Amino acid sequence: STYGVSTNSYKDGVTLKFVTQGQYSTNYGSRLYVMDSEDTYKMFKLKNREFTFTVDDSTLTCGLNGALYFVEMDQRGDHD
């Protein structure tokens, strides 16, 4: 699974494996982008709204950061 990201067993979420061992290196961390279609990102309009999500952080190793970040970006990424 790419960067340790896979659908969960209930098919209603994802499982992120923070440590993946590659042939030449170890990767710590997963990055996930939510797509609206094959070539556009999902745009969240959160001004004056609430966003909630559920995380099982019981298996995070000491020193790992379990966080969710939103960043400003174009809906089509680097496309014109």
Side-chain angles (χ1 to χ4, degrees):
S1 57
T2 303
Y3 297 105
V5 179
S6 59
T7 56
N8 67 9
S9 59
Y10 301 106
K11 304 294 184 200
D12 64 352
V14 296
T15 299
L16 303 176
K17 299 202 186 275
F18 286 93
V19 180
T20 53
Q21 182 65 51
Q23 183 177 357
Y24 301 106
S25 64
T26 301
N27 178 45
Y28 294 90
S30 299
R31 186 169 289 176
L32 186 67
Y33 295 93
V34 180
M35 303 300 290
D36 207 17
S37 70
E38 188 174 316
D39 60 354
T40 59
Y41 295 106
K42 171 73 176 164
M43 302 302 285
F44 292 91
K45 304 199 185 294
L46 298 176
K47 186 172 183 179
N48 298 322
R49 295 188 177 175
E50 182 177 301
F51 183 88
T52 61
F53 65 103
T54 304
V55 174
D56 176 7
D57 62 0
S58 64
T59 60
L60 282 180
T61 305
C62 182
L64 285 181
N65 177 21
L68 172 76
Y69 299 95
F70 283 95
V71 296
E72 184 176 354
M73 60 190 292
D74 187 79
Q75 186 174 15
R76 294 187 51 83
D78 62 354
H79 296 116
D80 291 328

